[in-house]
Amino acid sequence: MQNAAANEVHDVVVIGSGAAGGMVAWNLTRQGVNVLLLDAGTPFRRASFWTHVKPWEWRARLEAGRKPPQFRLDDREQPVDTPKDKPFDLFRVWGRGGKTNVWGRVSLRYGDVDFEGPAKDGWEIPWPIRYKDIAPYYDNVDRFIGVNGGDEDLDVLPGSRYHLPPPALRCGEQLLRKAGKSIGIEFVHGRRAVLTKPHNGHSACHYCGACGRGCDVAAFFNATDYLLAPALKTGRLKIIDNAVAARVLTGGDGRANAVQYFDRYSKAERQVKARIVVVAASCIDSTRILLNSKSHRHPNGLGNSNDVVGRYLIEQIRFHMSGFVPDLIGAKALNDDGISGEHMYMPRYNHRDGRKRDYLRGFGMQLWNTGAQANAAFAKQLDGFGLDFKRRVKERYPALVSLHPYGEVLPRKENRVVTDPARLDRYGVPVARIEFTTGENERKMAAEMYEMAESLLRSAKAEILPFERGAIDTPGLAIHEHGTIRMGSDPKRSVLNGYCQMHEVKNVFCPDGAAFPTSTEKNPTLTILALAWRSSDYLAAEMKAGRL
Amino acid sequence: MPSRREVLASIAATGTVAGRAQTPEAHGHPGHDETAGGVPAAARPKALNASEFETLGELVEMIIPRGETPGARDAGAHLIIDSMLASQRARAASFRKGLAPFLKLDNAKRLERLTALHAARDSFFHTLKDMTIDAYYSTREGLVTELGWSGYTALAEFKGCTHPEHQLPGAKA
């Protein structure tokens, strides 16, 4: 197929098979467009997932020489550089569906507080779209993939008419909600792309709680089963496995006309010709591809005459605080698995309580690891040993509540991805170097996040596990990288327009998380899906109108 | 991912516990365990010698002793720790150094020394305790028999909290 494809000019070549690439492939093929998709890996087989394997079985399997599916790309295979004093823990999945195989499934709509935020506070550029532009696509996505949730409708978290029934709250969540109410912190039902009833031909969740190992029945959205499978059925999608995209090639007119890739294992160099290229390899890898796509017409990388590609990298700040709620200490442990992760969410509130802050933007909070878990790692933080220690662990086991606040990070020019011609991967292509750090705004926001978390646990009269005030996770661990190929109305300050189409090179689209000009405090996948759907609708219309 | 990120790591930490009607056969997922618990009769240490292994068995049992439920040695925590050490040579060397002073002691003296190390916030004590916790609470004895975990199991429904006293007055469930 690769030989046959060498001279064929494909309508659209899509790089990446995750939320963005999968959505574009599905939406274009169903509208009659032929798509060639380059995937850096191969399909993950659901039948081989270790979904329900219990901890002692897991160990026995490893000792017998078996291996669970390797979702996470090993950095030794494809290095990412960081300065020694600025670590960034990048999580990549090469292979069908990308990170959607194991994502957190949190599906929150962004509101105009997010889209207009920068216009109001003056920090960097606002989004070129508003909620009204993307709302119909949020509706489309909710209906298509199935998102459970409640009927709450907030400025920072617009509601949906299409939510599936939310799962019941766990005891620990009920108690936190009550404790929050008494100090003015409101929770809403979580919004998660987990099917609480059968939906569009996909199975319902069976509440095994092991989603992080990949779902054996695809009861939560993943790009392979929900997007690529129906796209393949149209007969208009071809996928090349183990195709590690390196560069978008351009012609004398500056337009993209091909994609260069390397076979992951043979390392053979290949090219596929394209009329339109969609770069959706996830934030850092998409950025790397554009920066490496240097040519006479694009000496600074593709779409980068303004030196914006690679800059304004944003992630989120995050930390964890746990405790034990007294009502559950000594209670009988229940099966708290549910849909795994939280069943309720704390939306951002700091913009509407009337109090002035000394920082910009805001934070929300998730509550995963609340209730009985498949481990008792918290016991390491309880003092002592012996029978009394063993009793205290058992009593506290059902009473665990865990808070995970996520805060927005401001985009800054100096937080960036670069490629270094002297540091090459196994294919001879420059690797990505990430230079990222947080600053004063994040430090101030984290201080309030700590105050909020501590006062919530105090209000619940919880026994709080030791924490280091102000500490935040290593950047990258939220797995919410954005900003390095941002959209905007001003071509001098942005790379893409509101349809994720490149200002400088009209036949290139970048609809993944890199396109977000702000990170917000929320999880991005639902918005990536909605933007990619909108972007590919536009792409198809422009193509049919002969404008691409 | 968590779980996420939980993360998306392959060992997601979510689980649960027992105590309500379940349907392990729902959706065609077998509910049986693949392995028996405890220490296989033929188990031999890989990283430690016989004397070190015997001593480790005594120490893990002091950290999490047998009561009404199995202790850490019953659950084979020392074997799991040995196996972890076998794959981490540098860690094994320092662990054996920490273990050495215990080898010739009787159990009463071992307990005395362990108590002193705990009081001194000794790093070997914390390594030993942390490894014992990770090992014990990942066995069927520790996780199921002791704590009552019943997760990673297919259920027909998730009832959540049904205790009226936990609910927010006036709120929808």
Side-chain angles (χ1 to χ4, degrees):
Chain A
M1 129 128 217
Q2 278 138 3
N3 285 341
N7 286 313
E8 187 184 342
V9 181
H10 300 274
D11 287 340
V12 179
V13 170
V14 175
I15 303 169
S17 67
M23 173 54 80
V24 170
W26 171 76
N27 192 31
L28 290 181
T29 52
R30 78 193 181 106
Q31 296 184 46
V33 179
N34 292 313
V35 172
L36 175 69
L37 187 146
L38 304 179
D39 185 346
T42 53
F44 295 101
R45 293 185 313 110
R46 268 197 274 124
S48 71
F49 289 177
W50 289 20
T51 310
H52 300 159
V53 178
K54 297 177 170 63
W56 54 93
E57 297 169 340
W58 189 285
R59 187 163 48 238
R61 286 183 175 203
L62 292 181
E63 288 189 356
R66 298 171 66 186
K67 276 191 180 164
Q70 298 297 298
F71 292 112
R72 185 173 187 169
L73 175 68
D74 189 332
D75 289 346
R76 287 170 298 187
E77 178 177 347
Q78 182 62 43
V80 174
D81 282 351
T82 54
K84 275 210 172 64
D85 58 339
K86 293 180 185 173
F88 194 98
D89 194 339
L90 182 66
F91 188 105
R92 291 168 294 178
V93 176
W94 283 8
R96 206 73 88 245
K99 286 177 284 193
T100 65
N101 288 287
V102 287
W103 68 304
R105 311 167 301 286
V106 179
S107 300
L108 309 173
R109 295 183 178 208
Y110 295 7
D112 279 334
V113 173
D114 303 302
F115 298 120
E116 292 171 356
K120 296 212 162 127
D121 62 35
W123 188 275
E124 280 301 332
I125 62 170
W127 293 61
I129 57 169
R130 291 295 177 266
Y131 184 67
K132 65 175 171 43
D133 301 313
I134 196 174
Y137 289 94
Y138 278 139
D139 284 350
N140 288 347
V141 174
D142 282 350
R143 273 186 291 185
F144 184 61
I145 70 172
V147 173
N148 71 66
D151 53 10
E152 297 92 353
D153 180 23
L154 306 172
D155 56 356
V156 285
L157 194 63
S160 171
R161 282 176 294 160
Y162 302 105
H163 283 155
L164 301 175
L169 301 185
R170 305 168 178 98
C171 295
E173 291 173 319
Q174 291 283 15
L175 292 164
L176 285 178
R177 185 162 74 146
K178 218 154 76 163
K181 187 86 180 170
S182 69
I183 55 170
I185 293 177
E186 299 274 355
F187 290 90
V188 299
H189 285 284
R191 299 181 186 179
R192 315 278 306 281
V194 179
L195 304 182
T196 47
K197 56 183 199 182
H199 185 74
N200 287 346
H202 301 292
S203 305
C205 175
H206 53 256
Y207 308 109
C208 79
C211 315
R213 288 116 171 253
C215 182
D216 60 336
V217 299
F220 66 77
F221 165 77
N222 73 80
T224 307
D225 291 293
Y226 287 58
L227 296 169
L228 297 172
L232 284 165
K233 275 198 189 144
T234 65
R236 287 188 281 271
L237 173 64
K238 288 180 192 163
I239 303 179
I240 302 182
D241 287 346
N242 296 317
V244 182
R247 295 176 179 92
V248 178
L249 306 177
T250 48
D253 57 357
R255 285 168 55 89
N257 61 15
V259 176
Q260 176 201 44
Y261 69 91
F262 292 84
D263 183 274
R264 184 170 177 179
Y265 299 107
S266 76
K267 299 179 196 164
E269 190 244 346
R270 298 203 171 94
Q271 298 184 6
V272 282
K273 294 179 180 167
R275 291 187 180 87
I276 297 164
V277 175
V278 177
V279 184
S282 83
C283 179
I284 305 297
D285 275 331
S286 289
T287 305
R288 172 176 172 252
I289 290 167
L290 294 190
L291 291 174
N292 283 334
S293 300
K294 294 183 163 73
S295 63
H296 180 65
R297 288 288 299 267
H298 306 284
N300 204 27
L302 198 62
N304 195 27
S305 67
N306 55 11
D307 191 28
V308 169
V309 174
R311 294 191 179 274
Y312 308 104
L313 174 63
I314 32 186
E315 222 246 347
Q316 288 164 345
I317 53 169
R318 188 182 77 167
F319 65 85
H320 318 279
M321 193 183 292
S322 299
F324 308 104
V325 282
D327 309 58
L328 298 176
I329 290 181
K332 182 172 182 170
L334 302 176
N335 184 332
D336 286 325
D337 280 355
I339 61 170
S340 179
E342 65 280 344
H343 292 184
M344 66 177 196
Y345 176 75
M346 186 200 81
R348 175 180 171 185
Y349 61 81
N350 69 347
H351 60 298
R352 58 174 161 78
D353 62 7
R355 238 178 79 204
K356 178 136 179 65
R357 263 66 176 189
D358 59 352
Y359 63 86
L360 306 177
R361 315 289 166 87
F363 57 87
M365 186 164 70
Q366 298 178 33
L367 303 137
W368 32 274
N369 283 8
T370 288
Q373 305 297 308
N375 65 73
F378 66 81
K380 296 174 194 175
Q381 292 177 278
L382 300 183
D383 189 41
F385 66 98
L387 270 180
D388 180 61
F389 169 77
K390 184 182 179 188
R391 177 186 56 77
R392 284 185 287 122
V393 173
K394 182 181 168 72
E395 283 174 357
R396 279 155 188 75
Y397 176 66
L400 180 70
V401 292
S402 303
L403 315 184
H404 315 276
Y406 285 64
E408 177 164 355
V409 169
L410 292 179
R412 292 187 190 84
K413 201 173 182 187
E414 64 274 17
N415 280 339
R416 63 188 304 204
V417 178
V418 294
T419 59
D420 175 0
R423 178 84 160 98
L424 306 179
D425 66 12
R426 58 180 61 194
Y427 315 107
V429 179
V431 304
R433 175 180 170 87
I434 301 174
E435 298 171 0
F436 180 88
T437 187
T438 53
E440 194 60 9
N441 198 68
E442 289 75 33
R443 193 187 60 72
K444 288 175 177 164
M445 187 189 295
E448 181 173 348
M449 290 159 75
Y450 268 95
E451 276 170 34
M452 174 277 299
E454 191 181 6
S455 45
L456 178 63
L457 289 179
R458 292 212 182 288
S459 166
K461 299 188 168 51
E463 187 182 308
I464 304 176
L465 281 168
F467 62 88
E468 186 192 338
R469 188 178 302 279
I472 53 170
D473 276 0
T474 301
L477 286 176
I479 321 184
H480 295 159
E481 315 91 55
H482 302 299
T484 46
I485 312 176
R486 66 185 188 179
M487 55 166 72
S489 307
D490 179 358
K492 288 194 218 56
R493 303 187 69 190
S494 59
V495 185
L496 310 172
N497 66 19
Y499 295 101
C500 307
Q501 179 185 32
M502 200 173 263
H503 292 306
E504 291 180 20
V505 186
K506 296 290 182 202
N507 67 338
V508 175
F509 291 75
C510 305
D512 66 26
F516 292 25
T518 69
S519 70
T520 87
E521 75 289 356
K522 293 182 276 283
N523 307 51
T525 304
L526 188 78
T527 302
I528 292 174
L529 287 167
L531 282 179
W533 193 324
R534 183 169 183 267
S535 170
S536 48
D537 268 1
Y538 175 82
L539 188 162
E542 289 292 287
M543 199 175 145
K544 281 171 192 159
R547 286 191 289 265
L548 285 172
Chain B
M1 177 194 145
S3 105
R4 163 169 215 356
R5 261 99 85 4
E6 151 179 11
V7 172
L8 307 182
S10 50
I11 302 187
T14 36
T16 94
V17 195
R20 60 178 71 176
Q22 295 177 351
T23 54
E25 301 301 325
H27 305 271
H29 297 294
H32 67 270
D33 291 335
E34 293 178 6
T35 58
V39 189
R44 282 172 202 275
K46 289 180 280 189
L48 304 177
N49 65 36
S51 158
E52 290 167 334
F53 186 65
E54 183 274 333
T55 305
L56 178 60
E58 297 293 343
L59 295 182
V60 299
E61 186 66 16
M62 286 172 191
I63 290 177
I64 303 179
R66 183 190 301 169
E68 287 168 17
T69 60
R73 186 176 45 192
D74 299 327
H78 54 323
L79 194 66
I80 295 166
I81 292 172
D82 173 77
S83 181
M84 285 155 67
L85 294 172
S87 61
Q88 301 174 52
R89 202 170 289 182
R91 196 173 181 192
S94 77
F95 191 87
R96 295 176 75 172
K97 209 178 279 179
L99 207 52
F102 287 95
L103 299 181
K104 296 266 163 61
L105 305 180
D106 63 24
N107 273 349
K109 293 280 183 206
R110 282 171 177 159
L111 183 58
E112 228 171 76
R113 183 172 171 84
L114 208 55
T115 307
L117 292 183
H118 166 246
R121 301 177 175 276
D122 174 79
S123 71
F124 173 72
F125 173 82
H126 283 287
T127 302
L128 175 69
K129 177 178 165 180
D130 288 359
M131 291 178 95
T132 305
I133 288 166
D134 281 336
Y136 177 68
Y137 293 112
S138 69
T139 62
R140 187 158 43 191
E141 290 82 353
L143 198 53
V144 178
T145 313
E146 165 67 1
L147 296 180
W149 179 70
S150 61
Y152 294 178
T153 301
L155 304 177
E157 64 171 334
F158 179 77
K159 285 193 183 138
C161 175
T162 54
H163 307 95
E165 69 275 21
H166 297 164
Q167 319 286 320
L168 185 65
K172 286 182 288 181

